[in-house]
Amino acid sequence: MEPGDDTAGRWLREHGVPEVVRRLRGGGDALPGVSGTRWAGLVARAARAEPRRDLEAARAAGVRFVCPGDGEWPAQLDDLGDARPVGLWVRGGPSLRIWALRSVAVVGARACTEYGAHMAATLAAGLAERGWVVVSGGAYGVDGAAHRGALGAGGATVAVLACGLDRPYPRGHTELIARIAEQGLVVGELPPGDHPTPSRFVLRNRVIAALTRGTVVVEAAHRSGSLVTARAAQRLGRFTMGVPGPATSGLSAGVHELLRGEAALVTDSAEVVELVGDMGELAPARRGPVLPRDLLEPSARRVLAALPAGRPAPPGEIALDAGTTHDEAIARLYELRSLGYVERHGDVWKLTRQAMISLRDGHGRC
């Protein structure tokens, strides 16, 4: 079934995965809500499916499969209802669920101007420096600039692709996507070997919108795909923001249309954080309770233990003391940031006040 198929999603919800698979692959009665022709097409596709081969190809590419009910599943994707992903293929070390807790989407035109690329990179770098994860689609233009801005600031970024993760698209971004997988995460709905199509790009955007707390659009024409992401964010109750451009620029016309509606105008990362960081129970984690240290993964505990109690430290020093790599330390620091243990100040990290209090009052345990 294709991503975003809410009819198939309803089948899974009402009948369960085993029964749907039995009907599709075992010659059972057709499920309700589709024509005979479409049912026959689904049965033909199911007959060609090779899930064991897909899992083997994924493992060979360093990719894992995460589905609803798993500990790494981001619960906010459930807001998509029956159109939520059946599962996500994930490449990279960090926890997708934890990283998504403090994430912002930065999207926009593929054929962006120098202004658009500059604004996307600057916004992403600023968000990364404030401990936020930058999510985008890995495409040319604004997407690529946002990913590079976050990476260049030593930050966290997630690329959501519309194809199998073993065949990154666009091909010109193969090295960039590989770098994202080293320092961050690459995710997608399609199994290994699947190629992108126009409809899959559109449906991919709903995942970007649902995964994040808000979406920032940097340059978009009236018919830009990034507007699909923004409108999906609005439907889901997420913040929608736009970066204004010249009134004479067709590439900013779609953004200006959003700003005339319910979208908020933003010009830098501080204004973005002012919006997405003020959402009640989803407010910045440093204001909430610090979770018990024992719930952390061992690698995250080692990184937390490596932070000096009385001063900030750069990621390289933390990685050395934790006995891990620079990229692994960055990944775990952003997880710890989402949980309220640490905060970033420029190029250094330090324990939060709540973490220090817990260390002092909890006999050495956060």
Side-chain angles (χ1 to χ4, degrees):
M1 52 193 69
E2 283 292 305
D5 187 337
D6 52 2
T7 298
R10 188 181 74 250
W11 293 342
L12 296 176
R13 175 173 53 83
E14 293 179 350
H15 301 281
V17 172
E19 176 63 13
V20 173
V21 172
R22 187 189 70 80
R23 299 264 195 117
L24 285 170
R25 301 192 67 155
D29 295 336
L31 289 160
V34 296
S35 66
T37 300
R38 180 157 181 241
W39 178 257
L42 289 172
V43 169
R45 290 186 66 170
R48 295 196 304 269
E50 298 183 51
R52 288 187 177 86
R53 178 204 61 188
D54 291 340
L55 289 171
E56 290 172 0
R59 291 191 192 101
V63 174
R64 60 190 179 275
F65 186 70
V66 177
C67 60
D70 289 345
E72 196 179 349
W73 181 256
Q76 59 267 47
L77 291 178
D78 298 342
D79 293 347
L80 292 168
D82 290 337
R84 77 176 179 182
V86 174
L88 290 173
W89 303 87
V90 182
R91 179 183 172 195
S95 166
L96 177 61
R97 179 182 67 83
I98 294 177
W99 268 27
L101 292 174
R102 290 179 58 81
S103 64
V104 177
V106 179
V107 299
R110 286 177 171 81
C112 66
T113 65
E114 289 186 11
Y115 164 78
H118 170 76
M119 289 302 300
T122 302
L123 274 172
L127 288 166
E129 288 169 356
R130 287 170 168 79
W132 287 79
V133 177
V134 176
V135 179
S136 198
Y140 293 132
V142 166
D143 287 15
H147 290 308
R148 290 187 181 95
L151 292 171
T157 188
V158 177
V160 183
L161 305 186
C163 56
L165 302 193
D166 60 333
R167 298 184 180 181
Y169 184 90
R171 291 185 179 180
H173 273 180
T174 299
E175 291 186 8
L176 172 61
I177 292 170
R179 180 67 183 126
I180 293 170
E182 291 174 1
Q183 188 167 317
L185 289 170
V186 180
V187 304
E189 292 182 77
L190 279 301
D194 271 26
H195 60 277
T197 64
S199 63
R200 287 173 172 178
F201 281 118
V202 172
L203 290 163
R204 178 273 309 271
N205 293 342
R206 83 195 194 288
V207 176
I208 295 176
L211 196 62
T212 54
R213 291 199 193 175
T215 294
V216 184
V217 182
V218 183
E219 287 196 329
H222 278 300
R223 295 178 60 82
S224 171
S226 56
L227 298 182
V228 175
T229 310
R231 289 169 183 141
Q234 288 177 332
R235 289 193 299 272
L236 292 165
R238 311 293 198 262
F239 284 107
T240 306
M241 296 153 278
V243 176
T248 54
S249 172
L251 278 176
S252 290
V255 178
H256 296 160
E257 181 182 350
L258 282 176
L259 293 175
R260 292 182 64 194
E262 297 180 0
L265 186 152
V266 294
T267 60
D268 59 26
S269 59
E271 293 174 355
V272 175
V273 172
E274 182 181 3
L275 288 172
V276 298
D278 187 21
M279 297 179 66
E281 73 273 15
L282 293 180
R286 62 178 179 270
R287 299 180 185 173
V290 177
L291 300 179
R293 181 194 295 253
D294 291 340
L295 295 180
L296 296 173
E297 295 289 336
S299 56
R301 288 203 299 271
R302 288 193 295 271
V303 170
L304 179 61
L307 270 94
R311 62 177 177 83
E317 177 186 330
I318 296 169
L320 188 63
D321 290 343
T324 188
T325 65
H326 183 275
D327 288 344
E328 174 71 7
I330 289 288
R332 300 310 170 194
L333 285 167
Y334 273 87
E335 290 183 9
L336 294 168
R337 175 68 183 89
S338 295
L339 296 172
Y341 287 108
V342 302
E343 55 193 13
R344 177 172 173 169
H345 296 271
D347 293 330
V348 296
W349 293 79
K350 63 180 293 186
L351 293 168
T352 61
R353 182 171 177 271
Q354 290 93 328
M356 292 296 295
I357 292 173
S358 295
L359 280 167
R360 185 186 66 215
D361 298 337
H363 305 289
R365 289 183 175 269
C366 288

